[in-house]
Amino acid sequence: MKEGFRQSMAWLHTWSGLLVCWILLLVFCAGTASYYRNEITLWMQPELHGAAASQVSTEEAAKVAQQAMQERAQGATRWFISLPGERSPATQLGWSKPSQAGEKKRGRRGNFHSEKADPATGEVLSKPRETRGGEFLYRLHFDLHYMSAIWGRWIVGFCAMFMFVAIISGIVTHKRIFKDLFTFRPKKGQRSWLDAHNVTAVLALPYHIMITYTGLVTLMFLYMPSGATAAYKGDQDAFFAEAFPGRTGDGKPAGVAAPLTPFAPLVRQAEQHWGGKVERISVNHPGDANATISLTRAGGRDMSSKQPSMQFDGVSGKLLATDGDAQPGAAATHGVMVGLHVAHFGGPLLRALFFLSGLAGCAMVATGALLWAVKTRQKQAKALAAGKRASFGLRLVEALNIGAIAGMPIAFGAYFWANRLLPVTMADRPKEEIACFFGAWALAAIIAQLRPSRAMWRMQLAAGAFLLASLPVLNVFTTSSHLGVTLFLGRGPVAVAAFDLVVLVLGVGLAYAAFKLKPLPVKAAKAHKATDAVKPAQTMEAA
């Protein structure tokens, strides 16, 4: 504090951002892609590109889905039905069967099966290849991977808290925060990187604050359980029953067979009550006397993630409970916070704005990491000019920057390429796709550690550019619905063409950055020969 409050905040801003910036970059990139996880999943299942689902009412779709489930899900303990909507024209059917004795010992919850069906006929659409698709990226941004989900969420929460501290301290540090929004001076070395960091941070500042804070709120019961634990003496079920009233428990099966009441009248009753469509139907213990049916309203009418639901007796069709029509203040606030984070309420334009803001967040984190390396290298300029090597910390950060920033597009590209190149019948195919993602990223990070140089930046950016920009070409050879068909013939899913267009633009941007990293002129090369290390301020102007 001897240097003053603002200077202390600058120190806090620097180190709270740097220490976790590479994990935050992964979280931002995966989270940004998650806004279009349905579209990504569709692209990664080309067998469904030509499958045209019929347009029917929700009542008819529910009736057909019930008939299909009664035929295919015999012996299931739970049914899950997602009715068609704007972003998913097919009906999603899912059911879980009881765990076997050996599976119970290993902690498994049973065998889960799912398929997509035509909402008008109930017929299974073309059997798609197995893939986690966009769901992997969604889970990655808060669960990480190859570790317990609880540990992953604690790590992400820790990094998010550092991010929140960095944002607040950054606001305090900036004397001209609004002027920085309109200031960018290219080809000015460290000044250019500072301007780039300021512009990407301030331009989407409300989004950055909102997405970081609401991200912590979504897992608040994991991070801050003490209050509920103390007040309810460790009885979490009692806490959730009072905090989120209206929901009935799963109950236990009676062991007495009984026919399931038709879905269509229940859907009609729920839609009349809400004035909106039903999106999901779940059934506990179908075919049993104690069966219950839960209907959930489609999202998009408000910002809350907690959509109203209605629970019915599965045999008589009697209404048992309603949830969400009049939520307590705390529950409603929590629902809005979560809803703001996942943005399911947003239409195409708002979702695109969230996506662009997420890209700005990725750029903010990346430029912040590069700015630290620029400043540190300038501080060591005299030692480097005298022939000494860069400090271990500087070399490590520069290598990590290459592996994380330039290696991230390589990982994403490898994931999408693996989806099309791996054999469709391969065992554990989703796991192999994910292994390609992390394998490519790990390889990029390891190679970067060997020689964190200007040439390494150029090589990895070029590799990422090729993998992303060539995906539309790969799509041409692996499916009949691609960008060209949509643009010139007006056929094929728009989501697939949009995916091709986005990765093409990102790939071209990376290619331009790699081009700007062309070899230095002879005189400049001699000037840099002493250090033989990358200088982001002079070499990454285009990034």
Side-chain angles (χ1 to χ4, degrees), residues 399 401-410 440-449 451 453-467 510 514 517:
N401 283 344
I402 298 175
I405 299 171
M408 189 68 66
I410 295 175
W441 197 22
L443 181 62
I446 292 172
I447 294 176
Q449 290 289 338
R451 192 175 181 84
S453 63
R454 176 192 185 92
M456 183 62 67
W457 271 108
R458 190 183 190 200
M459 181 186 73
Q460 295 209 14
L461 287 172
F466 170 78
L467 289 173
L510 291 171
L517 286 173

PDB file of all heavy atoms in Angstrom, residues 399 401-410 440-449 451 453-467 510 514 517:
ATOM      1  N   ALA A 399       6.114 -19.864 -23.213  1.00  0.00           N
ATOM      2  CA  ALA A 399       5.803 -21.196 -23.752  1.00  0.00           C
ATOM      3  C   ALA A 399       4.355 -21.582 -23.458  1.00  0.00           C
ATOM      4  O   ALA A 399       3.655 -22.132 -24.321  1.00  0.00           O
ATOM      5  CB  ALA A 399       6.764 -22.230 -23.174  1.00  0.00           C
ATOM      6  N   ASN A 401       1.929 -19.515 -23.021  1.00  0.00           N
ATOM      7  CA  ASN A 401       1.085 -18.690 -23.876  1.00  0.00           C
ATOM      8  C   ASN A 401       0.909 -19.304 -25.263  1.00  0.00           C
ATOM      9  O   ASN A 401      -0.188 -19.336 -25.809  1.00  0.00           O
ATOM     10  CB  ASN A 401       1.684 -17.285 -24.007  1.00  0.00           C
ATOM     11  CG  ASN A 401       1.440 -16.425 -22.788  1.00  0.00           C
ATOM     12  OD1 ASN A 401       0.593 -16.740 -21.952  1.00  0.00           O
ATOM     13  ND2 ASN A 401       2.184 -15.335 -22.673  1.00  0.00           N
ATOM     14  N   ILE A 402       2.001 -19.788 -25.821  1.00  0.00           N
ATOM     15  CA  ILE A 402       1.910 -20.420 -27.142  1.00  0.00           C
ATOM     16  C   ILE A 402       1.044 -21.666 -27.067  1.00  0.00           C
ATOM     17  O   ILE A 402       0.142 -21.872 -27.887  1.00  0.00           O
ATOM     18  CB  ILE A 402       3.317 -20.776 -27.674  1.00  0.00           C
ATOM     19  CG1 ILE A 402       4.157 -19.513 -27.856  1.00  0.00           C
ATOM     20  CG2 ILE A 402       3.202 -21.524 -29.002  1.00  0.00           C
ATOM     21  CD1 ILE A 402       5.595 -19.786 -28.255  1.00  0.00           C
ATOM     22  N   GLY A 403       1.325 -22.527 -26.066  1.00  0.00           N
ATOM     23  CA  GLY A 403       0.591 -23.786 -25.960  1.00  0.00           C
ATOM     24  C   GLY A 403      -0.886 -23.588 -25.693  1.00  0.00           C
ATOM     25  O   GLY A 403      -1.731 -24.328 -26.208  1.00  0.00           O
ATOM     26  N   ALA A 404      -1.227 -22.563 -24.876  1.00  0.00           N
ATOM     27  CA  ALA A 404      -2.630 -22.340 -24.526  1.00  0.00           C
ATOM     28  C   ALA A 404      -3.362 -21.540 -25.589  1.00  0.00           C
ATOM     29  O   ALA A 404      -4.442 -21.926 -26.045  1.00  0.00           O
ATOM     30  CB  ALA A 404      -2.721 -21.628 -23.177  1.00  0.00           C
ATOM     31  N   ILE A 405      -2.762 -20.428 -26.023  1.00  0.00           N
ATOM     32  CA  ILE A 405      -3.461 -19.525 -26.947  1.00  0.00           C
ATOM     33  C   ILE A 405      -3.463 -20.065 -28.365  1.00  0.00           C
ATOM     34  O   ILE A 405      -4.516 -20.182 -29.005  1.00  0.00           O
ATOM     35  CB  ILE A 405      -2.817 -18.129 -26.903  1.00  0.00           C
ATOM     36  CG1 ILE A 405      -2.933 -17.536 -25.490  1.00  0.00           C
ATOM     37  CG2 ILE A 405      -3.472 -17.203 -27.922  1.00  0.00           C
ATOM     38  CD1 ILE A 405      -2.141 -16.259 -25.292  1.00  0.00           C
ATOM     39  N   ALA A 406      -2.294 -20.415 -28.879  1.00  0.00           N
ATOM     40  CA  ALA A 406      -2.233 -20.959 -30.241  1.00  0.00           C
ATOM     41  C   ALA A 406      -2.630 -22.429 -30.269  1.00  0.00           C
ATOM     42  O   ALA A 406      -3.095 -22.933 -31.300  1.00  0.00           O
ATOM     43  CB  ALA A 406      -0.822 -20.789 -30.808  1.00  0.00           C
ATOM     44  N   GLY A 407      -2.454 -23.133 -29.140  1.00  0.00           N
ATOM     45  CA  GLY A 407      -2.796 -24.553 -29.110  1.00  0.00           C
ATOM     46  C   GLY A 407      -4.278 -24.823 -28.973  1.00  0.00           C
ATOM     47  O   GLY A 407      -4.757 -25.897 -29.349  1.00  0.00           O
ATOM     48  N   MET A 408      -5.045 -23.841 -28.448  1.00  0.00           N
ATOM     49  CA  MET A 408      -6.480 -24.044 -28.266  1.00  0.00           C
ATOM     50  C   MET A 408      -7.207 -24.299 -29.589  1.00  0.00           C
ATOM     51  O   MET A 408      -7.999 -25.244 -29.700  1.00  0.00           O
ATOM     52  CB  MET A 408      -7.090 -22.856 -27.529  1.00  0.00           C
ATOM     53  CG  MET A 408      -8.534 -23.054 -27.102  1.00  0.00           C
ATOM     54  SD  MET A 408      -8.710 -24.306 -25.813  1.00  0.00           S
ATOM     55  CE  MET A 408      -7.857 -23.505 -24.453  1.00  0.00           C
ATOM     56  N   PRO A 409      -6.985 -23.489 -30.641  1.00  0.00           N
ATOM     57  CA  PRO A 409      -7.636 -23.798 -31.922  1.00  0.00           C
ATOM     58  C   PRO A 409      -7.231 -25.158 -32.482  1.00  0.00           C
ATOM     59  O   PRO A 409      -8.031 -25.822 -33.147  1.00  0.00           O
ATOM     60  CB  PRO A 409      -7.167 -22.662 -32.840  1.00  0.00           C
ATOM     61  CG  PRO A 409      -6.771 -21.560 -31.919  1.00  0.00           C
ATOM     62  CD  PRO A 409      -6.235 -22.230 -30.703  1.00  0.00           C
ATOM     63  N   ILE A 410      -6.000 -25.564 -32.210  1.00  0.00           N
ATOM     64  CA  ILE A 410      -5.556 -26.887 -32.664  1.00  0.00           C
ATOM     65  C   ILE A 410      -6.373 -27.974 -31.980  1.00  0.00           C
ATOM     66  O   ILE A 410      -6.797 -28.950 -32.615  1.00  0.00           O
ATOM     67  CB  ILE A 410      -4.046 -27.073 -32.375  1.00  0.00           C
ATOM     68  CG1 ILE A 410      -3.227 -26.081 -33.198  1.00  0.00           C
ATOM     69  CG2 ILE A 410      -3.608 -28.500 -32.653  1.00  0.00           C
ATOM     70  CD1 ILE A 410      -1.736 -26.111 -32.902  1.00  0.00           C
ATOM     71  N   ALA A 440      -4.059 -33.408 -28.866  1.00  0.00           N
ATOM     72  CA  ALA A 440      -3.551 -32.346 -29.741  1.00  0.00           C
ATOM     73  C   ALA A 440      -3.119 -31.136 -28.926  1.00  0.00           C
ATOM     74  O   ALA A 440      -2.083 -30.516 -29.205  1.00  0.00           O
ATOM     75  CB  ALA A 440      -4.629 -31.948 -30.748  1.00  0.00           C
ATOM     76  N   TRP A 441      -3.896 -30.802 -27.899  1.00  0.00           N
ATOM     77  CA  TRP A 441      -3.544 -29.653 -27.061  1.00  0.00           C
ATOM     78  C   TRP A 441      -2.261 -29.923 -26.273  1.00  0.00           C
ATOM     79  O   TRP A 441      -1.386 -29.053 -26.162  1.00  0.00           O
ATOM     80  CB  TRP A 441      -4.706 -29.329 -26.127  1.00  0.00           C
ATOM     81  CG  TRP A 441      -4.640 -27.968 -25.518  1.00  0.00           C
ATOM     82  CD1 TRP A 441      -3.945 -26.893 -25.999  1.00  0.00           C
ATOM     83  CD2 TRP A 441      -5.277 -27.521 -24.324  1.00  0.00           C
ATOM     84  NE1 TRP A 441      -4.136 -25.800 -25.185  1.00  0.00           N
ATOM     85  CE2 TRP A 441      -4.944 -26.146 -24.157  1.00  0.00           C
ATOM     86  CE3 TRP A 441      -6.121 -28.127 -23.399  1.00  0.00           C
ATOM     87  CZ2 TRP A 441      -5.413 -25.397 -23.079  1.00  0.00           C
ATOM     88  CZ3 TRP A 441      -6.594 -27.374 -22.333  1.00  0.00           C
ATOM     89  CH2 TRP A 441      -6.233 -26.033 -22.173  1.00  0.00           C
ATOM     90  N   ALA A 442      -2.137 -31.119 -25.730  1.00  0.00           N
ATOM     91  CA  ALA A 442      -0.930 -31.473 -24.984  1.00  0.00           C
ATOM     92  C   ALA A 442       0.299 -31.454 -25.889  1.00  0.00           C
ATOM     93  O   ALA A 442       1.371 -30.984 -25.497  1.00  0.00           O
ATOM     94  CB  ALA A 442      -1.095 -32.857 -24.346  1.00  0.00           C
ATOM     95  N   LEU A 443       0.146 -31.961 -27.113  1.00  0.00           N
ATOM     96  CA  LEU A 443       1.267 -31.958 -28.059  1.00  0.00           C
ATOM     97  C   LEU A 443       1.692 -30.532 -28.385  1.00  0.00           C
ATOM     98  O   LEU A 443       2.897 -30.227 -28.426  1.00  0.00           O
ATOM     99  CB  LEU A 443       0.861 -32.700 -29.332  1.00  0.00           C
ATOM    100  CG  LEU A 443       1.944 -32.816 -30.422  1.00  0.00           C
ATOM    101  CD1 LEU A 443       3.137 -33.599 -29.889  1.00  0.00           C
ATOM    102  CD2 LEU A 443       1.379 -33.479 -31.670  1.00  0.00           C
ATOM    103  N   ALA A 444       0.733 -29.649 -28.601  1.00  0.00           N
ATOM    104  CA  ALA A 444       1.063 -28.248 -28.882  1.00  0.00           C
ATOM    105  C   ALA A 444       1.792 -27.614 -27.704  1.00  0.00           C
ATOM    106  O   ALA A 444       2.763 -26.861 -27.891  1.00  0.00           O
ATOM    107  CB  ALA A 444      -0.206 -27.477 -29.209  1.00  0.00           C
ATOM    108  N   ALA A 445       1.338 -27.910 -26.475  1.00  0.00           N
ATOM    109  CA  ALA A 445       1.969 -27.333 -25.285  1.00  0.00           C
ATOM    110  C   ALA A 445       3.383 -27.856 -25.091  1.00  0.00           C
ATOM    111  O   ALA A 445       4.295 -27.101 -24.725  1.00  0.00           O
ATOM    112  CB  ALA A 445       1.122 -27.637 -24.057  1.00  0.00           C
ATOM    113  N   ILE A 446       3.601 -29.139 -25.346  1.00  0.00           N
ATOM    114  CA  ILE A 446       4.936 -29.730 -25.172  1.00  0.00           C
ATOM    115  C   ILE A 446       5.913 -29.171 -26.197  1.00  0.00           C
ATOM    116  O   ILE A 446       7.054 -28.820 -25.871  1.00  0.00           O
ATOM    117  CB  ILE A 446       4.843 -31.267 -25.271  1.00  0.00           C
ATOM    118  CG1 ILE A 446       4.067 -31.824 -24.073  1.00  0.00           C
ATOM    119  CG2 ILE A 446       6.243 -31.881 -25.331  1.00  0.00           C
ATOM    120  CD1 ILE A 446       3.766 -33.311 -24.183  1.00  0.00           C
ATOM    121  N   ILE A 447       5.481 -29.101 -27.450  1.00  0.00           N
ATOM    122  CA  ILE A 447       6.355 -28.564 -28.496  1.00  0.00           C
ATOM    123  C   ILE A 447       6.710 -27.109 -28.205  1.00  0.00           C
ATOM    124  O   ILE A 447       7.841 -26.671 -28.425  1.00  0.00           O
ATOM    125  CB  ILE A 447       5.682 -28.709 -29.874  1.00  0.00           C
ATOM    126  CG1 ILE A 447       5.533 -30.185 -30.244  1.00  0.00           C
ATOM    127  CG2 ILE A 447       6.467 -27.973 -30.952  1.00  0.00           C
ATOM    128  CD1 ILE A 447       4.804 -30.441 -31.537  1.00  0.00           C
ATOM    129  N   ALA A 448       5.735 -26.357 -27.692  1.00  0.00           N
ATOM    130  CA  ALA A 448       5.996 -24.951 -27.379  1.00  0.00           C
ATOM    131  C   ALA A 448       7.051 -24.804 -26.295  1.00  0.00           C
ATOM    132  O   ALA A 448       7.838 -23.848 -26.308  1.00  0.00           O
ATOM    133  CB  ALA A 448       4.693 -24.273 -26.939  1.00  0.00           C
ATOM    134  N   GLN A 449       7.099 -25.734 -25.344  1.00  0.00           N
ATOM    135  CA  GLN A 449       8.094 -25.676 -24.284  1.00  0.00           C
ATOM    136  C   GLN A 449       9.509 -25.885 -24.822  1.00  0.00           C
ATOM    137  O   GLN A 449      10.478 -25.380 -24.243  1.00  0.00           O
ATOM    138  CB  GLN A 449       7.790 -26.734 -23.215  1.00  0.00           C
ATOM    139  CG  GLN A 449       6.563 -26.454 -22.375  1.00  0.00           C
ATOM    140  CD  GLN A 449       6.760 -25.300 -21.419  1.00  0.00           C
ATOM    141  OE1 GLN A 449       7.875 -24.952 -21.069  1.00  0.00           O
ATOM    142  NE2 GLN A 449       5.659 -24.694 -20.988  1.00  0.00           N
ATOM    143  N   ARG A 451      10.829 -24.778 -27.678  1.00  0.00           N
ATOM    144  CA  ARG A 451      11.395 -23.564 -28.262  1.00  0.00           C
ATOM    145  C   ARG A 451      10.305 -22.497 -28.406  1.00  0.00           C
ATOM    146  O   ARG A 451       9.686 -22.378 -29.470  1.00  0.00           O
ATOM    147  CB  ARG A 451      12.020 -23.869 -29.618  1.00  0.00           C
ATOM    148  CG  ARG A 451      12.880 -22.741 -30.173  1.00  0.00           C
ATOM    149  CD  ARG A 451      13.559 -23.178 -31.457  1.00  0.00           C
ATOM    150  NE  ARG A 451      14.396 -22.135 -32.007  1.00  0.00           N
ATOM    151  CZ  ARG A 451      15.650 -21.895 -31.630  1.00  0.00           C
ATOM    152  NH1 ARG A 451      16.205 -22.634 -30.680  1.00  0.00           N
ATOM    153  NH2 ARG A 451      16.362 -20.933 -32.201  1.00  0.00           N
ATOM    154  N   SER A 453       9.400 -19.605 -29.557  1.00  0.00           N
ATOM    155  CA  SER A 453       9.957 -18.596 -30.446  1.00  0.00           C
ATOM    156  C   SER A 453       8.894 -18.042 -31.378  1.00  0.00           C
ATOM    157  O   SER A 453       7.751 -18.510 -31.426  1.00  0.00           O
ATOM    158  CB  SER A 453      11.096 -19.210 -31.267  1.00  0.00           C
ATOM    159  OG  SER A 453      10.586 -20.248 -32.090  1.00  0.00           O
ATOM    160  N   ARG A 454       9.304 -17.050 -32.169  1.00  0.00           N
ATOM    161  CA  ARG A 454       8.437 -16.462 -33.173  1.00  0.00           C
ATOM    162  C   ARG A 454       7.971 -17.504 -34.181  1.00  0.00           C
ATOM    163  O   ARG A 454       6.802 -17.560 -34.557  1.00  0.00           O
ATOM    164  CB  ARG A 454       9.215 -15.341 -33.877  1.00  0.00           C
ATOM    165  CG  ARG A 454       8.492 -14.664 -35.029  1.00  0.00           C
ATOM    166  CD  ARG A 454       9.485 -13.790 -35.817  1.00  0.00           C
ATOM    167  NE  ARG A 454       8.802 -13.047 -36.857  1.00  0.00           N
ATOM    168  CZ  ARG A 454       8.314 -11.827 -36.701  1.00  0.00           C
ATOM    169  NH1 ARG A 454       8.380 -11.238 -35.523  1.00  0.00           N
ATOM    170  NH2 ARG A 454       7.731 -11.203 -37.707  1.00  0.00           N
ATOM    171  N   ALA A 455       8.899 -18.358 -34.582  1.00  0.00           N
ATOM    172  CA  ALA A 455       8.559 -19.407 -35.543  1.00  0.00           C
ATOM    173  C   ALA A 455       7.543 -20.388 -34.957  1.00  0.00           C
ATOM    174  O   ALA A 455       6.685 -20.913 -35.678  1.00  0.00           O
ATOM    175  CB  ALA A 455       9.823 -20.154 -35.973  1.00  0.00           C
ATOM    176  N   MET A 456       7.613 -20.629 -33.639  1.00  0.00           N
ATOM    177  CA  MET A 456       6.666 -21.539 -32.997  1.00  0.00           C
ATOM    178  C   MET A 456       5.261 -20.939 -33.011  1.00  0.00           C
ATOM    179  O   MET A 456       4.274 -21.649 -33.250  1.00  0.00           O
ATOM    180  CB  MET A 456       7.113 -21.828 -31.562  1.00  0.00           C
ATOM    181  CG  MET A 456       6.230 -22.819 -30.829  1.00  0.00           C
ATOM    182  SD  MET A 456       6.213 -24.460 -31.602  1.00  0.00           S
ATOM    183  CE  MET A 456       7.918 -24.964 -31.299  1.00  0.00           C
ATOM    184  N   TRP A 457       5.168 -19.641 -32.727  1.00  0.00           N
ATOM    185  CA  TRP A 457       3.863 -18.975 -32.829  1.00  0.00           C
ATOM    186  C   TRP A 457       3.289 -19.162 -34.234  1.00  0.00           C
ATOM    187  O   TRP A 457       2.120 -19.509 -34.403  1.00  0.00           O
ATOM    188  CB  TRP A 457       4.012 -17.478 -32.542  1.00  0.00           C
ATOM    189  CG  TRP A 457       3.889 -17.067 -31.116  1.00  0.00           C
ATOM    190  CD1 TRP A 457       4.891 -16.647 -30.291  1.00  0.00           C
ATOM    191  CD2 TRP A 457       2.690 -17.018 -30.334  1.00  0.00           C
ATOM    192  NE1 TRP A 457       4.389 -16.342 -29.042  1.00  0.00           N
ATOM    193  CE2 TRP A 457       3.039 -16.560 -29.045  1.00  0.00           C
ATOM    194  CE3 TRP A 457       1.358 -17.331 -30.589  1.00  0.00           C
ATOM    195  CZ2 TRP A 457       2.116 -16.400 -28.026  1.00  0.00           C
ATOM    196  CZ3 TRP A 457       0.420 -17.165 -29.585  1.00  0.00           C
ATOM    197  CH2 TRP A 457       0.799 -16.703 -28.315  1.00  0.00           C
ATOM    198  N   ARG A 458       4.112 -18.903 -35.228  1.00  0.00           N
ATOM    199  CA  ARG A 458       3.645 -18.971 -36.611  1.00  0.00           C
ATOM    200  C   ARG A 458       3.209 -20.386 -36.977  1.00  0.00           C
ATOM    201  O   ARG A 458       2.167 -20.586 -37.606  1.00  0.00           O
ATOM    202  CB  ARG A 458       4.753 -18.497 -37.549  1.00  0.00           C
ATOM    203  CG  ARG A 458       4.273 -18.308 -38.974  1.00  0.00           C
ATOM    204  CD  ARG A 458       5.416 -17.916 -39.885  1.00  0.00           C
ATOM    205  NE  ARG A 458       4.893 -17.503 -41.186  1.00  0.00           N
ATOM    206  CZ  ARG A 458       5.621 -17.468 -42.291  1.00  0.00           C
ATOM    207  NH1 ARG A 458       6.886 -17.826 -42.262  1.00  0.00           N
ATOM    208  NH2 ARG A 458       5.094 -17.073 -43.430  1.00  0.00           N
ATOM    209  N   MET A 459       3.987 -21.368 -36.556  1.00  0.00           N
ATOM    210  CA  MET A 459       3.678 -22.754 -36.897  1.00  0.00           C
ATOM    211  C   MET A 459       2.355 -23.195 -36.267  1.00  0.00           C
ATOM    212  O   MET A 459       1.507 -23.794 -36.936  1.00  0.00           O
ATOM    213  CB  MET A 459       4.805 -23.672 -36.435  1.00  0.00           C
ATOM    214  CG  MET A 459       4.587 -25.147 -36.764  1.00  0.00           C
ATOM    215  SD  MET A 459       5.851 -26.220 -36.058  1.00  0.00           S
ATOM    216  CE  MET A 459       5.384 -26.169 -34.333  1.00  0.00           C
ATOM    217  N   GLN A 460       2.172 -22.879 -34.989  1.00  0.00           N
ATOM    218  CA  GLN A 460       0.956 -23.347 -34.317  1.00  0.00           C
ATOM    219  C   GLN A 460      -0.280 -22.569 -34.770  1.00  0.00           C
ATOM    220  O   GLN A 460      -1.369 -23.152 -34.891  1.00  0.00           O
ATOM    221  CB  GLN A 460       1.132 -23.256 -32.801  1.00  0.00           C
ATOM    222  CG  GLN A 460       2.207 -24.181 -32.269  1.00  0.00           C
ATOM    223  CD  GLN A 460       1.945 -24.642 -30.849  1.00  0.00           C
ATOM    224  OE1 GLN A 460       0.854 -24.495 -30.326  1.00  0.00           O
ATOM    225  NE2 GLN A 460       2.948 -25.229 -30.214  1.00  0.00           N
ATOM    226  N   LEU A 461      -0.130 -21.275 -35.025  1.00  0.00           N
ATOM    227  CA  LEU A 461      -1.266 -20.534 -35.557  1.00  0.00           C
ATOM    228  C   LEU A 461      -1.657 -21.050 -36.940  1.00  0.00           C
ATOM    229  O   LEU A 461      -2.849 -21.154 -37.263  1.00  0.00           O
ATOM    230  CB  LEU A 461      -0.928 -19.044 -35.629  1.00  0.00           C
ATOM    231  CG  LEU A 461      -0.880 -18.291 -34.304  1.00  0.00           C
ATOM    232  CD1 LEU A 461      -0.353 -16.873 -34.513  1.00  0.00           C
ATOM    233  CD2 LEU A 461      -2.250 -18.250 -33.647  1.00  0.00           C
ATOM    234  N   ALA A 462      -0.659 -21.381 -37.750  1.00  0.00           N
ATOM    235  CA  ALA A 462      -0.941 -21.920 -39.076  1.00  0.00           C
ATOM    236  C   ALA A 462      -1.618 -23.282 -38.980  1.00  0.00           C
ATOM    237  O   ALA A 462      -2.538 -23.589 -39.755  1.00  0.00           O
ATOM    238  CB  ALA A 462       0.355 -22.028 -39.880  1.00  0.00           C
ATOM    239  N   ALA A 463      -1.184 -24.095 -38.024  1.00  0.00           N
ATOM    240  CA  ALA A 463      -1.814 -25.404 -37.840  1.00  0.00           C
ATOM    241  C   ALA A 463      -3.269 -25.255 -37.413  1.00  0.00           C
ATOM    242  O   ALA A 463      -4.164 -25.945 -37.936  1.00  0.00           O
ATOM    243  CB  ALA A 463      -1.036 -26.218 -36.797  1.00  0.00           C
ATOM    244  N   GLY A 464      -3.536 -24.366 -36.466  1.00  0.00           N
ATOM    245  CA  GLY A 464      -4.914 -24.116 -36.052  1.00  0.00           C
ATOM    246  C   GLY A 464      -5.755 -23.568 -37.181  1.00  0.00           C
ATOM    247  O   GLY A 464      -6.924 -23.941 -37.352  1.00  0.00           O
ATOM    248  N   ALA A 465      -5.165 -22.669 -37.993  1.00  0.00           N
ATOM    249  CA  ALA A 465      -5.882 -22.102 -39.131  1.00  0.00           C
ATOM    250  C   ALA A 465      -6.268 -23.188 -40.128  1.00  0.00           C
ATOM    251  O   ALA A 465      -7.396 -23.220 -40.637  1.00  0.00           O
ATOM    252  CB  ALA A 465      -5.021 -21.035 -39.814  1.00  0.00           C
ATOM    253  N   PHE A 466      -5.344 -24.089 -40.408  1.00  0.00           N
ATOM    254  CA  PHE A 466      -5.641 -25.171 -41.361  1.00  0.00           C
ATOM    255  C   PHE A 466      -6.742 -26.084 -40.832  1.00  0.00           C
ATOM    256  O   PHE A 466      -7.683 -26.420 -41.560  1.00  0.00           O
ATOM    257  CB  PHE A 466      -4.383 -25.985 -41.639  1.00  0.00           C
ATOM    258  CG  PHE A 466      -4.643 -27.246 -42.414  1.00  0.00           C
ATOM    259  CD1 PHE A 466      -4.854 -27.204 -43.786  1.00  0.00           C
ATOM    260  CD2 PHE A 466      -4.720 -28.476 -41.771  1.00  0.00           C
ATOM    261  CE1 PHE A 466      -5.124 -28.359 -44.505  1.00  0.00           C
ATOM    262  CE2 PHE A 466      -4.979 -29.635 -42.470  1.00  0.00           C
ATOM    263  CZ  PHE A 466      -5.183 -29.580 -43.845  1.00  0.00           C
ATOM    264  N   LEU A 467      -6.635 -26.480 -39.566  1.00  0.00           N
ATOM    265  CA  LEU A 467      -7.614 -27.422 -39.016  1.00  0.00           C
ATOM    266  C   LEU A 467      -9.020 -26.830 -38.989  1.00  0.00           C
ATOM    267  O   LEU A 467      -9.997 -27.549 -39.235  1.00  0.00           O
ATOM    268  CB  LEU A 467      -7.192 -27.834 -37.599  1.00  0.00           C
ATOM    269  CG  LEU A 467      -5.969 -28.751 -37.499  1.00  0.00           C
ATOM    270  CD1 LEU A 467      -5.549 -28.937 -36.050  1.00  0.00           C
ATOM    271  CD2 LEU A 467      -6.255 -30.105 -38.143  1.00  0.00           C
ATOM    272  N   LEU A 510      -6.937 -16.735 -38.048  1.00  0.00           N
ATOM    273  CA  LEU A 510      -5.686 -17.331 -37.569  1.00  0.00           C
ATOM    274  C   LEU A 510      -4.633 -17.352 -38.669  1.00  0.00           C
ATOM    275  O   LEU A 510      -3.442 -17.138 -38.418  1.00  0.00           O
ATOM    276  CB  LEU A 510      -5.948 -18.753 -37.059  1.00  0.00           C
ATOM    277  CG  LEU A 510      -6.760 -18.870 -35.768  1.00  0.00           C
ATOM    278  CD1 LEU A 510      -7.119 -20.331 -35.507  1.00  0.00           C
ATOM    279  CD2 LEU A 510      -5.996 -18.302 -34.582  1.00  0.00           C
ATOM    280  N   ALA A 514      -0.916 -15.697 -38.611  1.00  0.00           N
ATOM    281  CA  ALA A 514       0.302 -16.440 -38.948  1.00  0.00           C
ATOM    282  C   ALA A 514       1.070 -15.744 -40.062  1.00  0.00           C
ATOM    283  O   ALA A 514       2.308 -15.703 -40.057  1.00  0.00           O
ATOM    284  CB  ALA A 514      -0.058 -17.865 -39.354  1.00  0.00           C
ATOM    285  N   LEU A 517       3.215 -12.981 -39.025  1.00  0.00           N
ATOM    286  CA  LEU A 517       4.418 -13.439 -38.320  1.00  0.00           C
ATOM    287  C   LEU A 517       5.473 -13.947 -39.290  1.00  0.00           C
ATOM    288  O   LEU A 517       6.294 -14.783 -38.931  1.00  0.00           O
ATOM    289  CB  LEU A 517       4.055 -14.556 -37.338  1.00  0.00           C
ATOM    290  CG  LEU A 517       3.333 -14.112 -36.071  1.00  0.00           C
ATOM    291  CD1 LEU A 517       2.880 -15.316 -35.278  1.00  0.00           C
ATOM    292  CD2 LEU A 517       4.210 -13.231 -35.219  1.00  0.00           C
TER     293      LEU A 517
END
